[in-house]
Amino acid sequence: MEGEAEYILPTETKYVGEMRDGMFHGQGTLYFPSGSRYDAIWEKGLVVKGTYTFSDGLQYDAENWHYCDGYDRRFYTEICYGLKPTGISQLTNMDPPRKIPPGCYDCGDGFYNPTTRIVKDYKNRFLRNADDDEHEWIIRTCRKGWDETMGPKPKPTSEGSVCLQHLLGREPPLDPFEPAGLARGPAEHGQEWDGGQQPA
């Protein structure tokens, strides 16, 4: 291919621009299925200089990139349109966020299944197999398709419910193996009781 061309890759990414000897060469743009684009100057198939623009209009700046970093954790839509009221969290740049299939992660360009280690796009088409590094990054940083209890887990009592008084420090812990009403005092368990009035 020579001159101005339009080339569609198997991933449905489309290149529109100049080509020489069948390679991207000169001014050209890659249009991704997600709606993002990469405008660049190419030389023999390699990028000389380029600009990546996300589907929402946010442009990536390699030198001064402060989007969602430690300094400013707002999403681009929050920067453009403001923050939501307290108690109404925005989980992703897209609001409402995509519904993630159970057991999967949203890795930005599709859903990742950690069991199969396959990333599929949002239309359920194969994108790639994740290597070990990508797998670890997704598990560590991406949004999950399920809820998890965070923080300390409460201790169950013999009835299987939370001993609220114990958590509040008002009663000694009960022995879950003792029948109800026959629990021994803290001294009999070999521990000191300093949580207030000792039960009768």
Side-chain angles (χ1 to χ4, degrees):
M1 288 190 229
E2 238 12 76
E4 288 292 319
E6 186 172 305
Y7 181 78
I8 300 174
L9 294 118
T11 60
E12 296 185 20
T13 298
K14 180 169 61 170
Y15 174 80
V16 177
E18 301 172 62
M19 294 188 80
R20 184 188 300 167
D21 295 327
M23 294 182 280
F24 304 162
H25 190 85
Q27 187 72 35
T29 302
L30 285 170
Y31 295 94
F32 298 96
S34 66
S36 58
R37 61 188 278 166
Y38 188 66
D39 301 292
I41 297 171
W42 305 81
E43 188 172 318
K44 297 181 183 175
L46 301 174
V47 174
V48 174
K49 179 181 175 184
T51 304
Y52 185 84
T53 306
F54 294 89
S55 60
D56 60 10
L58 175 65
Q59 281 194 347
Y60 176 72
D61 180 354
E63 305 213 359
N64 297 306
W65 184 250
H66 297 294
Y67 173 67
C68 259
D69 65 3
Y71 175 72
D72 186 353
R73 300 291 300 162
R74 292 178 298 165
F75 293 108
Y76 184 62
T77 51
E78 292 175 313
I79 293 168
C80 293
Y81 307 112
L83 296 172
K84 292 184 174 271
T86 303
I88 304 174
S89 299
Q90 187 167 328
L91 299 175
T92 68
N93 193 50
M94 179 187 290
D95 191 42
R98 288 183 179 89
K99 183 167 173 48
I100 304 171
C104 294
Y105 293 80
D106 184 347
C107 59
D109 60 347
F111 297 123
Y112 175 66
N113 183 329
T115 306
T116 62
R117 291 193 169 212
I118 292 175
V119 177
K120 292 186 176 181
D121 70 11
Y122 296 120
K123 294 179 182 175
N124 203 30
R125 296 176 297 199
F126 176 84
L127 284 179
R128 65 185 173 280
N129 292 311
D131 63 15
D132 290 341
D133 290 337
E134 184 178 24
H135 171 81
E136 293 301 322
W137 179 84
I138 291 171
I139 300 299
R140 190 176 62 251
T141 61
C142 294
R143 203 165 63 90
K144 303 173 178 87
W146 65 94
D147 292 327
E148 287 182 349
T149 303
M150 302 302 290
K153 294 188 172 121
K155 296 179 182 178
T157 64
S158 58
E159 293 83 33
S161 63
V162 175
C163 180
L164 181 60
Q165 295 297 320
H166 170 62
L167 292 175
L168 296 174
R170 293 188 186 138
E171 289 186 17
L174 300 175
D175 185 340
F177 302 104
E178 291 277 350
L182 297 178
R184 294 174 288 178
E188 294 172 319
H189 284 284
Q191 55 188 329
E192 295 248 355
W193 175 250
D194 63 344
Q197 185 179 16
Q198 191 162 344

